Structures are given as structure tokens and as C-alpha cells.
Amino acid sequence: MKKVLIGIAVLVVIVVAAAVAVPFFVPTEEIKTRITQGVESATGRQLVIAGDLSVSVLPSLEVVAEDISFSNAEGAADPNMASLQALRLKLQILPLISGNVKVDEFVLVDPVINLEVDENGKPNWEFASAPAADAAPAPSGEAESSGGGGGSAISDISLGNIQLVNGSLKFSDAASGTVQEVSDINLAVTLTDLDSPFTADGSLQWNAKTINLAVTSEKPRGLTTGEEAPVGLSVETDVIKLGFEGSVATAAKLLVAGALDVSTPSIRDLAAWTGNPIEFEGTGLGPFSLAGKVDVDGATYSFTDAKIAIDEIEGDGSVSIATAGAKPQIDAALNLGVLDLNPYLPPAKEGEATGGGAAGGDSAAGSGSAEPADWSDDPIDVSGLQAVNANFALTVAGILVQEIKVGQSALDVALKDGLLGVDLTELNLYDGKGQGKLSVDGRNAAPAISKSFAMSGISAEPLLTDAAGFDRLSGTGNMEFAITATGASQRQMVENLNGKGQVTFNDGAIKGINLAAMVRNAANAFLDPGASETQKTDFAELSGSFDIKNGLLSNQDLKLLSPLLRVEGKGTSDLPARTVDYRVEPKAVASLEGQGSASDASGLAVPVLVSGPWHDLSYKPDLAGAVEGLAKDPGKALEGLGGDAGKALEGVLGGGDEEGGGVKLPEGAGDALKGLFGN
């Protein structure tokens, strides 16, 4: 043992003597040459030390070098990958023997780093002559030192004057044509030892704004051993603030736990600063804040007890993302207060109704002023549904869209291997309730969609007024439908649309026109300028059902039951062709009962034909049909009309056309009918 100790002592003396002698016997230029040759051999790039170089070894290793550059990859835009005006290093050597790293000074002055990716996607930090990556396997029983959980050869670290002064970094991607530059990078680090507080404070310039950075740790030793260590992070500019206080451990897997707080005075300003301006006419996307608990457990990331605020919208929720499986699994829940969407919608243009539709329309039936629309043949791509699996639950205290007011609602979303299911479990809307389901199957080349929806007890007048500026229909409404469609484009979806549904309104009225008066005295009913204010058609029931087969919608049972009036309708709408072929038949009857009277079969009818493309519908009275019905059974047609039957007939038939033959609808009738149908 004594001989071993003597041998070690002799070796130490030789090393110290050599360290003292080297600077005296090896010229500086020789040191430069050996350093540059070693770098070139390892990387295939040229290192140039154009300025002064000084090296001393004892009592500390001190290196001072000036005007240093490291060449870039062949074909790169910048000649140098890195350069710096000066490097100063002062490292105590003797503490290294006991595993202590004591750096008295490490300063980089004016470092410039250029990172580039060429058009083929190859980065300039891949070196042609890098050392072989295949290392000999560790002997059996030896523990790997890189796992983070084993012991460390370093027992302590002490940092003195550690600075990065006036640095800059540029990243260029030739494939995408993007260039990002960071300048005025300044950083100062303080660390007495691994059991004392660690701080790193700095700042940099990006996109003409200063970003202040700070990292702290009360006991940083855990960061070197893989054990849990307290960590704080702060990032602050005038457009965003981010703060984290918690713990980090890097043992067998990354563990992070703590509180995160992010805020910005304007989402729009933040997006514009990052080079992604938000362009839409709404006024929203101002202040934003998010706070909650962050947890990272290897490949699982979660954010819980979250509080979120966007403009006037506030809520809470949680999200968890697991990335260890074949595809990410996302589970999230969000509870919001009143969701006012109006700040995110374009303002209504002058003369445009604030509701979901126009308050009025062109007074000329079939004017053809609107441009015809068509279905799109663009491919529908739902391949993104295959990217993740997810479960999402949303509840809102209310929703406001333009004038439409929705009460408390709840929505559940499930996505599994390309199959999306949306379940509207609760919808409170204008004194009524609703539920619905949506399914999107993205597992095949042509996606398939199915929808079902049911509403009951809806107050029609406030809903239609707020939604479409249409205040001519009142009553309590019930609606349900179920449809399916498959196709690779919008047009194919419509062509393959199938389903059925029905709509019923009870105890209401059609305002703005008196259908019974129209049938009895067409001329006065259509020409009365005050009809829109004073006339209405009360009804006990307005209902109809529809079937859709391969895009052809058919309704055969439209009916309106009202005192002195019955209205029936039937026809089709070719959805792919965007056309309508429909017949409405109002009939005056003698019964004051709203429905089910024995006299429903008798009365005088004036059918109305609605036909043409959606953008240019025409409304025409079927007077030939009315005359035909009258001719078949005039007694039954006029039954119950009392002594005014002749006047009613005269009013319906008008005075004939200008040549004295046939029949003619009084002027203004088409406009009135068009207004009745809300077009």
C-alpha cells in the first residue's frame, strides 16, 4: 500500500511539474495549432483563433482567447457557424481531484451563433467527421452513468463570474424560407455551491421587444443528482408574462410539479408579435390569463385546477395528455360562465339584420337578384381524427350569439381511432329543452356523418326573432330529426343524404297576413297596406314531417289548423340541385274550431305553387286548380261560406285577365305570399 501511495505522489508531482513547464516550453502558436487541428479532426470544420491566446495552468487553468470563429457547413449562407470577440476562462485545478468544480470566471463576449437547415432538411450542426457513435458495450454488471439515477462524479460546483455578453442567435430554414433572429443576449449566473441558491438572470431582444428571463433554485444539488429540486422560472415582456414555481426531478424520468401562471393584455398583440397576426372583424381576443397546477410524470402531462379568462369569458377546467401509447390520449373538462361569442363575430353591415337572417327581402317574387350557390367538390379531409384519442366535457352557463340566447348547456366529445362522437346532453333554449348527437366516422376514405336532434317546448317567436329577425310566427315548437350522409366532398354528402324528421308548432299565429281573409277576399287581403301590422292567422297546430332519400327531401303532410281556415301543403326539394317544387293549399271553412271539425272537408281553396332554384323562388297562385276544384263540386266548395259565397268566389277569381279570359291574381299578391314564406 505504501508503494501505491508513493507512486501516486510521484505522478502528481510529474503532472504539476509538466503543467508548470508547458506554457514555458510550448509556444502559443503551437497551442493554437494543436487546438485547431483537434477541432477540425473531430468536426470536419475549421476553428480559427485570429486574436491573442494566452494559457496558464497553475494555480488555476486560465485561458484568454480573442477573435475566434468556427466555420459553417458547406453551402451555408453564413461563412461561420459561430464566432465570438473574446473568451475568458478561469478554472481551479486542484479541487477537481476531489470532484469539485470551481469556475472562477467564464465569460463569452459578443458570441454569434448561426443555425441553418438547408433545402434538404439537413442542419448545420451535424458534423461530417464526428467521432464514431458506436461505443463498446458496458461490461456486465456495470451501471450506466447516463441514467440520471446513479451517483455523480461531481460532488460540488461553484461558479464565480459567469456571463454571456451581447450574444446573438440566428436560425434559418431554407426549406420553409423562415428566419428567426435573437439579439442582445445577456446572461449572468450565480452559484456559490450546490446547496446554496442558484440564480440565472438575463434578457434578450426578439422581434423588437425585450424579453427578461430568470431561473432560480433554492437547492440546486438535486438537479445534478436526479433528485427533486425546487425551481422557479419567469419570462416577461410587455405582451406576455409567464411564471412557474415548483419542483423538477430528472431521475429515471422527468418529474415536474408546480404552479403555472400565464397572462397577456392582448391575444391579438401577442399573435402579431410572434408573426401570426389574427385577421377577423370581431373585437374580441383581448386580455387572456391562465393559471393552474402543472404535473409532468414521464410521458404524461397534466394541467389541473385551471382558471381561464378570455375577454369577459371566465371558466375552470383540467387537461391530461398521455403520450406513451401508440397515439396521444387527451382527457379534458372545461366549465364556462356565459359564453358571449359576439365579440368574435364580424359586425352586422348597414341594413343587415342583427339576427341570423335578413329581416326582409326583395319585394319581387322570383327576382333572381341573388347569386346562385352550389355545393363544393373540394375533398373533405378528416384524417386528423386518426391523430389522437380524446375525451372532452364542456358545460356553459349560457351562450350568446348575436341576439340568440342559449341557457345552460352541456356537451361531451369522445374521439377513438378516427371515430368522433359528440353528445349534446343538455340544451336550454327559449323556454324549451333540447338534446342531440353527432357522429363523424373518419376511419374510411369517404367520411360518414350522422346527426340526431330533438327540441321541445321552444317558444318560437323570440327564437325566430333573435335568430333570423323573423317575428311572424308564434307558438310552442317541437322538433326532431335524424340524418346520415357519406361522401368525400360536400356535394357527395348531399347526394347521399338520408333521414327523417318532423316539426310541430301549437297554439300560435302567423303574423302579417290573414289567410282566411285572403281566401275570402283576395284583393283586399293582398292590397291592405296595414296587413303586416293588423292581420294574423291564428292556428291551433302547424306541423309537418319530412323524409330524405339520397338527397331528395319530401314533405307530404304540412298542415295548419285554424278557425275558419285549413292549410295543407306537400312537395319536394331536390337538395343536390338546390330546387323546390311545392304546393300550398289554404282553404276557407265554416268551422270556428281550431281542428278536427266535421266541416274540415268543405271550403274554398286557392292553391299556391312554390317552385324554382333556392336563390330565385317563384310564388304563383294555382287558379286553374282552384277553378277545377270549384267545378268538380261547387256546392261543397262554397258550403259554409254563407251569403258571402259569391263575394268570396269573386274575390278569389279576381276580375279575369286583360283579354277578358281566364283568371288573374290581384297585383301585390305575390309579394304578400313571398313575405309569408319569409323569403
Short mmCIF file of all heavy atoms in Angstrom, two decimals, residues 20 56-62 90-95 104:
data_model
loop_
_atom_site.label_atom_id
_atom_site.label_comp_id
_atom_site.label_asym_id
_atom_site.label_seq_id
_atom_site.Cartn_x
_atom_site.Cartn_y
_atom_site.Cartn_z
N VAL A 20 3.28 23.23 -15.06
CA VAL A 20 4.01 24.49 -14.89
C VAL A 20 4.93 24.74 -16.06
O VAL A 20 5.09 25.87 -16.54
CB VAL A 20 4.79 24.48 -13.56
CG1 VAL A 20 5.66 25.73 -13.45
CG2 VAL A 20 3.83 24.39 -12.38
N SER A 56 -2.40 29.67 -19.02
CA SER A 56 -1.60 29.38 -17.83
C SER A 56 -2.32 28.29 -17.05
O SER A 56 -3.55 28.17 -17.12
CB SER A 56 -1.41 30.63 -16.96
OG SER A 56 -2.66 31.11 -16.51
N VAL A 57 -1.53 27.50 -16.30
CA VAL A 57 -2.11 26.32 -15.67
C VAL A 57 -2.21 26.44 -14.15
O VAL A 57 -3.20 26.05 -13.56
CB VAL A 57 -1.30 25.07 -16.06
CG1 VAL A 57 -1.89 23.83 -15.41
CG2 VAL A 57 -1.25 24.92 -17.56
N LEU A 58 -1.20 26.92 -13.50
CA LEU A 58 -1.22 26.99 -12.05
C LEU A 58 -1.17 28.44 -11.57
O LEU A 58 -0.52 29.28 -12.20
CB LEU A 58 -0.02 26.22 -11.48
CG LEU A 58 -0.08 24.70 -11.61
CD1 LEU A 58 1.18 24.08 -11.04
CD2 LEU A 58 -1.31 24.14 -10.88
N PRO A 59 -1.83 28.72 -10.48
CA PRO A 59 -2.61 27.81 -9.62
C PRO A 59 -3.98 27.45 -10.22
O PRO A 59 -4.65 26.55 -9.72
CB PRO A 59 -2.78 28.60 -8.33
CG PRO A 59 -2.82 30.03 -8.80
CD PRO A 59 -1.84 30.11 -9.93
N SER A 60 -4.39 28.15 -11.28
CA SER A 60 -5.65 27.85 -11.95
C SER A 60 -5.41 27.77 -13.44
O SER A 60 -4.46 28.37 -13.97
CB SER A 60 -6.70 28.94 -11.66
OG SER A 60 -6.96 29.06 -10.27
N LEU A 61 -6.28 27.02 -14.10
CA LEU A 61 -6.24 26.99 -15.55
C LEU A 61 -6.90 28.26 -16.04
O LEU A 61 -8.09 28.49 -15.82
CB LEU A 61 -6.97 25.77 -16.08
CG LEU A 61 -7.14 25.72 -17.61
CD1 LEU A 61 -5.78 25.64 -18.31
CD2 LEU A 61 -8.01 24.54 -18.02
N GLU A 62 -6.11 29.09 -16.74
CA GLU A 62 -6.63 30.34 -17.26
C GLU A 62 -6.40 30.38 -18.76
O GLU A 62 -5.29 30.16 -19.24
CB GLU A 62 -5.95 31.54 -16.59
CG GLU A 62 -6.25 31.67 -15.11
CD GLU A 62 -5.70 32.97 -14.53
OE1 GLU A 62 -5.78 33.99 -15.24
OE2 GLU A 62 -5.19 32.93 -13.40
N LYS A 90 -11.40 30.76 -16.26
CA LYS A 90 -10.52 30.57 -15.11
C LYS A 90 -11.10 29.45 -14.26
O LYS A 90 -12.16 29.60 -13.64
CB LYS A 90 -10.41 31.86 -14.30
CG LYS A 90 -9.36 31.79 -13.19
CD LYS A 90 -9.20 33.14 -12.51
CE LYS A 90 -8.11 33.09 -11.44
NZ LYS A 90 -7.94 34.41 -10.77
N LEU A 91 -10.40 28.30 -14.25
CA LEU A 91 -10.88 27.10 -13.58
C LEU A 91 -9.83 26.61 -12.60
O LEU A 91 -8.67 26.41 -12.96
CB LEU A 91 -11.17 26.00 -14.62
CG LEU A 91 -11.50 24.61 -14.10
CD1 LEU A 91 -12.83 24.61 -13.36
CD2 LEU A 91 -11.53 23.60 -15.25
N GLN A 92 -10.24 26.40 -11.33
CA GLN A 92 -9.31 25.89 -10.33
C GLN A 92 -9.09 24.40 -10.57
O GLN A 92 -10.05 23.62 -10.69
CB GLN A 92 -9.86 26.12 -8.92
CG GLN A 92 -9.99 27.61 -8.55
CD GLN A 92 -10.41 27.81 -7.12
OE1 GLN A 92 -10.17 26.95 -6.25
NE2 GLN A 92 -11.03 28.96 -6.84
N ILE A 93 -7.82 24.00 -10.62
CA ILE A 93 -7.49 22.62 -10.99
C ILE A 93 -7.50 21.68 -9.79
O ILE A 93 -8.08 20.59 -9.85
CB ILE A 93 -6.12 22.56 -11.68
CG1 ILE A 93 -6.21 23.27 -13.04
CG2 ILE A 93 -5.68 21.13 -11.88
CD1 ILE A 93 -4.90 23.28 -13.79
N LEU A 94 -6.87 22.08 -8.69
CA LEU A 94 -6.72 21.16 -7.55
C LEU A 94 -8.06 20.66 -7.01
O LEU A 94 -8.17 19.48 -6.65
CB LEU A 94 -5.91 21.84 -6.45
CG LEU A 94 -4.44 22.10 -6.81
CD1 LEU A 94 -3.72 22.78 -5.64
CD2 LEU A 94 -3.73 20.79 -7.17
N PRO A 95 -9.12 21.47 -6.93
CA PRO A 95 -10.41 20.94 -6.43
C PRO A 95 -10.97 19.83 -7.30
O PRO A 95 -11.78 19.02 -6.83
CB PRO A 95 -11.32 22.16 -6.44
CG PRO A 95 -10.40 23.32 -6.28
CD PRO A 95 -9.17 22.95 -7.05
N ASP A 104 -13.97 30.11 -11.51
CA ASP A 104 -13.91 31.48 -11.03
C ASP A 104 -14.43 32.47 -12.07
O ASP A 104 -14.99 33.51 -11.73
CB ASP A 104 -12.47 31.85 -10.66
CG ASP A 104 -11.98 31.05 -9.46
OD1 ASP A 104 -12.83 30.68 -8.63
OD2 ASP A 104 -10.77 30.79 -9.37
#
